[in-house]
């Protein structure tokens, strides 16, 4: 596999997750950057910027990479949608003046609404018994804004559900497989959730000739800056066992975990990129 450069620490973990998945798909396909440029509408230098976190790839580039490399375009586009929102929010100008919106023209047949009375601090029994005024005859309720708002809610809910399902799938099948409890019998790994300040216990044992902390059986998952999940907990426990302190075992790849990975890679004669890949997993599980 190519020796990828470490991603910038300033990248949000949701952007890192997209880039790591794109790198992984490209590595599995065996294509070079020149081959990607030949098979897509984007140049070799563009792919170099996209896959090293220098620039967020456009939606069409993600779709073309999935097509050329035989990946799941739906899952990648869901990750791209979340990463795009974070990318745009981080680069928005905080002091940009708001653009005034023109007032909508009143419809000729609409009846003007009466001014709403100021509510009393605590209405008495007599006030509560007064019925609400009936709507003015002939008044039309605009349905356009209501339909647009409902549609926006459905789109956001769909993207959130798809992204959550993608992460849960990655925690069990694509990125970590089944978890191993203390007894050694595989069980379906629960979805990884993390609360502020939460840490996990490490019990490293040797099973079938390899070391395991019982959190994940993966030996191929790519874990870079900002990655989260049971694969990260497994790697942090094994780093502790190998004498490279990653800090708190919290399931998040932060600065201390990256420095611990680099120390282990240097000791094993591997490229010190701070990314846990197949070669680093072999050293961790010795």
């Amino acid at each position: 596999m190519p020796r990828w450069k470490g991603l910038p620490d300033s990248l949000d973990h949701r952007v890192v997750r997209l880039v790591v998945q794109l790198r992984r798909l490209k590595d599995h396909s065996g294509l070079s950057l020149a081959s990607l440029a030949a098979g897509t509408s984007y140049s070799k230098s563009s792919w170099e910027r996209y896959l090293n976190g220098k620039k967020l790839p456009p939606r069409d580039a993600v779709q073309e990479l999935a097509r050329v490399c035989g990946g799941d375009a739906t899952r990648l586009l869901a990750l791209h949608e979340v990463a795009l929102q974070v990318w745009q929010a981080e680069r928005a100008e905080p002091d940009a003046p708001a653009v005034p919106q023109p007032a909508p023209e009143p419809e000729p047949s609409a009846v003007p609404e009466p001014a709403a009375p100021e509510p009393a601090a605590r209405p008495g029994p007599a006030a509560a018994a007064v019925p609400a005024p009936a709507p003015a005859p002939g008044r039309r309720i605009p349905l356009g804004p209501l339909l647009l708002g409902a549609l926006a809610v459905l789109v956001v809910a769909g993207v959130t559900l798809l992204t959550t399902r993608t992460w849960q799938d990655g925690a069990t099948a694509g990125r970590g497989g089944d978890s191993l409890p203390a007894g050694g019998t595989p069980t379906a790994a629960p979805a990884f959730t993390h609360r502020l300040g939460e840490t996990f216990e490490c019990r490293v044992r040797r099973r079938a000739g390899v070391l395991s902390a019982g959190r994940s059986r993966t030996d191929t998952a790519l874990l870079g800056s900002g990655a989260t999940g049971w694969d990260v907990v497994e790697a942090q426990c094994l780093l502790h066992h190998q004498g490279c302190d990653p800090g708190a075992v919290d399931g998040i790849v932060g600065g201390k975990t990256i420095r611990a990975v680099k120390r282990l890679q240097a000791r094993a004669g591997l490229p010190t990129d701070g990314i846990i890949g197949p070669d680093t997993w072999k050293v961790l599980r010795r």
Side-chain angles (χ1 to χ4, degrees), residues 83-198:
L84 179 61
Q85 295 178 3
V86 175
W87 187 275
Q88 292 176 340
E90 290 180 346
R91 286 154 182 78
E93 298 182 4
D95 299 327
V99 179
Q101 299 294 329
E105 297 182 0
E107 299 183 9
S109 58
V111 178
E113 299 182 9
E118 297 184 358
R122 185 182 297 275
V130 177
R139 177 183 175 184
R140 296 188 300 174
I141 300 177
L143 297 180
L146 295 178
L147 293 177
L148 289 177
L151 181 60
V153 171
L154 291 176
V155 170
V156 172
V159 171
T160 303
L161 179 61
L162 182 58
T163 304
T164 303
R165 181 61 181 272
T166 299
W167 166 238
Q168 292 177 350
D169 290 346
T172 56
R175 297 192 55 206
D178 298 333
S179 64
L180 291 175
T185 303
T187 59
F192 179 81
T193 57
H194 180 265
R195 292 181 291 272
L196 183 64
E198 181 181 15

Side-chain angles (χ1 to χ4, degrees), residues 34 60 109 182 273:
D60 291 343
S109 58
D273 56 5

Side-chain angles (χ1 to χ4, degrees), residues 197-265:
E198 181 181 15
T199 58
F200 302 93
E201 182 181 3
C202 291
R203 296 181 181 178
V204 178
R205 300 177 182 177
R206 189 170 294 278
R207 296 186 178 92
V210 297
L211 293 176
S212 173
R215 300 293 183 173
S216 170
R217 296 187 301 178
T218 185
D219 56 3
T220 58
L222 292 176
L223 304 177
S225 174
T228 60
W230 293 118
D231 293 344
V232 179
V233 177
E234 178 80 7
Q236 288 174 330
C237 288
L238 295 177
L239 284 168
H240 268 297
H241 187 79
Q242 296 288 355
C244 300
D245 182 13
V249 180
D250 54 4
I252 303 174
V253 177
K256 294 191 68 173
T257 299
I258 292 176
R259 289 191 289 271
V261 173
K262 289 182 178 180
R263 289 195 296 270
L264 180 74
Q265 290 171 333

